[in-house]
Amino acid sequence: WWNWLPGVENRGEGIFFTLNEEKLRAFDNDPNVLKRFSPIKTSFQQWTQEREWEIEEEFLPRYVLMHTLAHLLIRELATSSGYNSASIRERIYHSDSTNGILLFTASASSDGSLGGLVRQGSPENFSRLLKKAINSARRCSRDPLCMEDDPAAKLEANTQPITRINGSACYACDLLPETSCENSNRLLDRQFVTNEVFGFFKDMK
Protein backbone atom coordinates (compact mmCIF):
# COMPACT_ATOMS: atom_id res chain seq x y z
CA TRP A 1 0.00 0.00 0.00
CA TRP A 2 1.14 3.48 -0.77
CA ASN A 3 1.36 5.77 2.23
CA TRP A 4 1.32 8.99 0.18
CA LEU A 5 -0.88 10.69 -2.39
CA PRO A 6 0.17 13.07 -5.19
CA GLY A 7 -0.86 16.65 -4.55
CA VAL A 8 -0.07 20.29 -5.10
CA GLU A 9 -0.21 22.97 -2.44
CA ASN A 10 -1.57 26.25 -3.77
CA ARG A 11 -1.80 29.61 -2.06
CA GLY A 12 -4.66 31.86 -2.92
CA GLU A 13 -7.34 34.31 -1.96
CA GLY A 14 -10.70 35.33 -3.28
CA ILE A 15 -13.99 37.18 -2.97
CA PHE A 16 -17.28 35.33 -2.57
CA PHE A 17 -20.62 37.12 -2.71
CA THR A 18 -24.28 36.49 -3.50
CA LEU A 19 -27.05 38.54 -5.08
CA ASN A 20 -30.49 39.17 -3.62
CA GLU A 21 -32.39 35.94 -4.27
CA GLU A 22 -35.83 37.57 -4.37
CA LYS A 23 -34.69 40.04 -7.01
CA LEU A 24 -33.03 37.25 -8.97
CA ARG A 25 -36.26 35.26 -9.07
CA ALA A 26 -38.08 38.32 -10.38
CA PHE A 27 -35.32 38.79 -12.95
CA ASP A 28 -35.58 35.15 -14.10
CA ASN A 29 -39.31 35.61 -14.75
CA ASP A 30 -39.22 39.05 -16.37
CA PRO A 31 -40.80 38.72 -19.87
CA ASN A 32 -38.22 41.11 -21.36
CA VAL A 33 -35.38 39.04 -19.89
CA LEU A 34 -36.88 35.78 -21.14
CA LYS A 35 -37.30 37.23 -24.63
CA ARG A 36 -33.61 38.14 -24.72
CA PHE A 37 -32.53 34.89 -23.05
CA SER A 38 -34.48 32.42 -25.20
CA PRO A 39 -32.40 32.69 -28.43
CA ILE A 40 -29.15 32.59 -26.44
CA LYS A 41 -30.23 29.39 -24.68
CA THR A 42 -31.49 27.84 -27.94
CA SER A 43 -28.22 28.65 -29.70
CA PHE A 44 -26.17 27.21 -26.84
CA GLN A 45 -28.21 24.00 -26.91
CA GLN A 46 -27.74 23.70 -30.69
CA TRP A 47 -24.02 24.29 -30.30
CA THR A 48 -23.64 21.58 -27.65
CA GLN A 49 -25.78 19.13 -29.66
CA GLU A 50 -23.52 19.60 -32.67
CA ARG A 51 -20.65 18.41 -30.49
CA GLU A 52 -22.70 15.65 -28.88
CA TRP A 53 -22.08 17.15 -25.45
CA GLU A 54 -24.50 16.41 -22.65
CA ILE A 55 -25.31 19.41 -20.48
CA GLU A 56 -26.44 18.04 -17.14
CA GLU A 57 -27.56 21.24 -15.47
CA GLU A 58 -30.42 23.48 -16.57
CA PHE A 59 -29.50 27.15 -16.57
CA LEU A 60 -31.67 30.21 -16.11
CA PRO A 61 -31.23 33.86 -17.16
CA ARG A 62 -29.50 34.42 -13.82
CA TYR A 63 -26.51 32.42 -15.06
CA VAL A 64 -25.90 34.82 -17.96
CA LEU A 65 -26.30 37.76 -15.58
CA MET A 66 -23.93 36.34 -12.94
CA HIS A 67 -21.40 35.17 -15.50
CA THR A 68 -21.34 38.60 -17.16
CA LEU A 69 -21.04 40.34 -13.80
CA ALA A 70 -18.12 38.11 -12.80
CA HIS A 71 -16.27 39.08 -15.98
CA LEU A 72 -16.92 42.78 -15.44
CA LEU A 73 -15.60 42.55 -11.87
CA ILE A 74 -12.48 40.63 -12.91
CA ARG A 75 -11.69 43.34 -15.46
CA GLU A 76 -12.02 45.98 -12.74
CA LEU A 77 -9.99 43.93 -10.25
CA ALA A 78 -7.18 43.73 -12.79
CA THR A 79 -6.68 47.48 -12.39
CA SER A 80 -6.89 47.61 -8.60
CA SER A 81 -5.86 44.32 -6.97
CA GLY A 82 -2.29 43.75 -8.15
CA TYR A 83 -3.24 40.76 -10.31
CA ASN A 84 -3.71 40.72 -14.05
CA SER A 85 -7.03 39.44 -15.43
CA ALA A 86 -5.49 36.14 -16.59
CA SER A 87 -4.59 35.34 -12.96
CA ILE A 88 -8.10 35.81 -11.54
CA ARG A 89 -10.62 33.04 -12.07
CA GLU A 90 -14.35 32.69 -11.60
CA ARG A 91 -16.72 30.08 -10.28
CA ILE A 92 -20.47 30.57 -10.68
CA TYR A 93 -22.83 28.75 -8.31
CA HIS A 94 -26.43 28.75 -9.48
CA SER A 95 -29.75 26.95 -9.25
CA ASP A 96 -33.36 28.08 -9.25
CA SER A 97 -33.09 28.96 -5.56
CA THR A 98 -29.44 29.73 -4.81
CA ASN A 99 -26.65 31.80 -6.23
CA GLY A 100 -23.04 32.72 -5.56
CA ILE A 101 -20.01 34.13 -7.36
CA LEU A 102 -16.42 33.31 -6.38
CA LEU A 103 -13.55 35.33 -7.84
CA PHE A 104 -10.24 33.84 -6.81
CA THR A 105 -6.59 33.33 -7.57
CA ALA A 106 -4.34 30.42 -6.69
CA SER A 107 -0.65 29.77 -7.28
CA ALA A 108 1.99 27.34 -6.11
CA SER A 109 4.12 30.37 -5.19
CA SER A 110 3.43 33.23 -2.80
CA ASP A 111 2.04 35.20 -5.78
CA GLY A 112 -1.36 33.72 -4.97
CA SER A 113 -1.63 35.50 -1.63
CA LEU A 114 -0.72 39.13 -2.20
CA GLY A 115 -3.81 40.31 -0.34
CA GLY A 116 -5.20 42.42 -3.16
CA LEU A 117 -8.44 40.50 -3.61
CA VAL A 118 -9.14 40.38 0.12
CA ARG A 119 -8.62 44.12 0.38
CA GLN A 120 -10.93 44.80 -2.58
CA GLY A 121 -13.51 42.49 -1.04
CA SER A 122 -13.99 44.65 2.06
CA PRO A 123 -17.51 46.19 2.14
CA GLU A 124 -16.46 49.76 1.35
CA ASN A 125 -14.05 48.78 -1.41
CA PHE A 126 -16.34 46.17 -2.97
CA SER A 127 -19.23 48.62 -3.19
CA ARG A 128 -17.00 51.04 -5.07
CA LEU A 129 -15.64 48.23 -7.26
CA LEU A 130 -19.15 47.07 -8.18
CA LYS A 131 -20.28 50.56 -9.15
CA LYS A 132 -17.21 51.05 -11.34
CA ALA A 133 -17.78 47.70 -13.04
CA ILE A 134 -21.44 48.48 -13.75
CA ASN A 135 -20.69 51.97 -15.05
CA SER A 136 -17.91 50.62 -17.28
CA ALA A 137 -20.36 48.06 -18.68
CA ARG A 138 -22.62 50.83 -19.95
CA ARG A 139 -20.03 51.73 -22.57
CA CYS A 140 -17.89 49.79 -25.02
CA SER A 141 -15.48 51.08 -27.64
CA ARG A 142 -17.38 48.96 -30.18
CA ASP A 143 -20.74 50.53 -29.36
CA PRO A 144 -23.28 50.86 -30.84
CA LEU A 145 -22.44 47.59 -32.67
CA CYS A 146 -21.71 45.68 -29.46
CA MET A 147 -24.72 46.90 -27.47
CA GLU A 148 -27.08 46.42 -30.40
CA ASP A 149 -26.06 42.80 -30.95
CA ASP A 150 -29.33 40.88 -31.25
CA PRO A 151 -29.24 37.09 -30.60
CA ALA A 152 -32.85 36.73 -31.80
CA ALA A 153 -32.06 38.31 -35.18
CA LYS A 154 -29.02 36.05 -35.61
CA LEU A 155 -31.09 32.99 -34.69
CA GLU A 156 -33.73 33.98 -37.26
CA ALA A 157 -30.98 34.44 -39.86
CA ASN A 158 -29.80 30.91 -39.04
CA THR A 159 -26.18 31.92 -38.51
CA GLN A 160 -23.76 29.45 -36.94
CA PRO A 161 -24.70 28.72 -33.29
CA ILE A 162 -21.23 29.72 -32.07
CA THR A 163 -21.88 33.30 -33.30
CA ARG A 164 -25.04 33.70 -31.21
CA ILE A 165 -24.34 32.16 -27.81
CA ASN A 166 -23.45 35.62 -26.50
CA GLY A 167 -25.37 38.85 -26.57
CA SER A 168 -23.64 42.19 -26.13
CA ALA A 169 -20.12 41.06 -25.21
CA CYS A 170 -16.75 41.49 -26.91
CA TYR A 171 -13.06 41.75 -26.04
CA ALA A 172 -13.40 45.50 -25.61
CA CYS A 173 -15.90 45.19 -22.76
CA ASP A 174 -16.52 41.76 -21.23
CA LEU A 175 -14.52 38.84 -22.63
CA LEU A 176 -11.55 37.53 -20.63
CA PRO A 177 -8.50 35.36 -21.19
CA GLU A 178 -9.85 31.82 -21.29
CA THR A 179 -7.75 30.82 -18.28
CA SER A 180 -10.08 33.02 -16.23
CA CYS A 181 -13.44 31.86 -17.55
CA GLU A 182 -15.20 28.65 -16.53
CA ASN A 183 -17.22 28.60 -19.76
CA SER A 184 -14.72 29.72 -22.43
CA ASN A 185 -16.30 33.15 -22.88
CA ARG A 186 -19.76 31.78 -23.63
CA LEU A 187 -23.16 32.91 -22.29
CA LEU A 188 -22.40 36.58 -21.70
CA ASP A 189 -24.55 39.67 -22.27
CA ARG A 190 -24.08 43.20 -20.91
CA GLN A 191 -27.77 43.88 -21.53
CA PHE A 192 -28.68 41.66 -18.59
CA VAL A 193 -26.61 43.90 -16.33
CA THR A 194 -27.27 47.43 -17.58
CA ASN A 195 -30.29 47.52 -19.91
CA GLU A 196 -32.48 50.48 -18.93
CA VAL A 197 -35.65 48.38 -19.01
CA PHE A 198 -34.73 44.93 -17.65
CA GLY A 199 -31.07 45.13 -16.54
CA PHE A 200 -30.53 43.81 -13.01
CA PHE A 201 -28.47 46.88 -12.09
CA LYS A 202 -30.40 49.40 -14.20
CA ASP A 203 -30.98 51.64 -11.16
CA MET A 204 -27.36 51.68 -9.97
CA LYS A 205 -25.63 55.02 -10.64
Side-chain angles (χ1 to χ4, degrees):
W1 295 96
W2 296 100
N3 60 3
W4 58 272
L5 293 173
V8 176
E9 179 180 0
N10 282 340
R11 305 176 189 275
E13 58 176 332
I15 300 171
F16 178 81
F17 65 97
T18 64
L19 300 178
N20 183 288
E21 185 60 37
E22 183 178 346
K23 290 183 177 179
L24 272 181
R25 281 195 291 269
F27 177 85
D28 284 334
N29 293 291
D30 186 317
N32 293 305
V33 171
L34 291 172
K35 182 180 179 180
R36 177 84 175 177
F37 175 68
S38 179
I40 295 176
K41 181 177 181 179
T42 298
S43 299
F44 184 70
Q45 290 172 333
Q46 291 176 351
W47 182 76
T48 55
Q49 288 168 4
E50 285 181 357
R51 285 154 179 76
E52 300 181 350
W53 291 356
E54 292 186 10
I55 305 300
E56 297 181 357
E57 56 187 12
E58 182 71 10
F59 66 96
L60 299 168
R62 67 173 62 192
Y63 178 79
V64 179
L65 165 68
M66 296 165 64
H67 191 203
T68 304
L69 178 61
H71 278 222
L72 295 172
L73 287 169
I74 288 174
R75 291 173 71 96
E76 284 298 322
L77 284 168
T79 67
S80 60
S81 67
Y83 297 104
N84 60 59
S85 58
S87 299
I88 307 173
R89 305 172 195 173
E90 65 177 2
R91 185 61 51 87
I92 312 298
Y93 302 92
H94 64 103
S95 72
D96 59 1
S97 60
T98 59
N99 76 92
I101 299 175
L102 174 65
L103 309 177
F104 68 99
T105 185
S107 170
S109 71
S110 60
D111 291 345
S113 54
L114 297 174
L117 292 187
V118 171
R119 183 178 296 276
Q120 292 301 317
S122 65
E124 61 276 10
N125 287 335
F126 187 76
S127 176
R128 184 164 52 248
L129 179 78
L130 179 62
K131 289 180 180 179
K132 288 180 64 177
I134 301 306
N135 287 330
S136 295
R138 301 183 196 279
R139 300 176 302 276
C140 172
S141 61
R142 291 188 65 248
D143 283 342
L145 293 177
C146 181
M147 187 58 81
E148 293 177 355
D149 198 308
D150 187 353
K154 290 190 290 188
L155 179 61
E156 186 176 344
N158 199 30
T159 61
Q160 291 295 317
I162 188 63
T163 67
R164 41 186 164 86
I165 56 179
N166 284 337
S168 300
C170 70
Y171 277 105
C173 61
D174 199 41
L175 303 190
L176 292 173
E178 292 197 3
T179 54
S180 299
C181 179
E182 70 173 14
N183 207 348
S184 299
N185 281 320
R186 296 185 288 262
L187 300 175
L188 299 163
D189 191 350
R190 284 189 296 140
Q191 294 272 14
F192 281 28
V193 177
T194 64
N195 185 278
E196 295 180 356
V197 176
F198 58 81
F200 190 82
F201 293 96
K202 62 181 183 292
D203 298 323
M204 179 175 282
K205 304 296 182 183

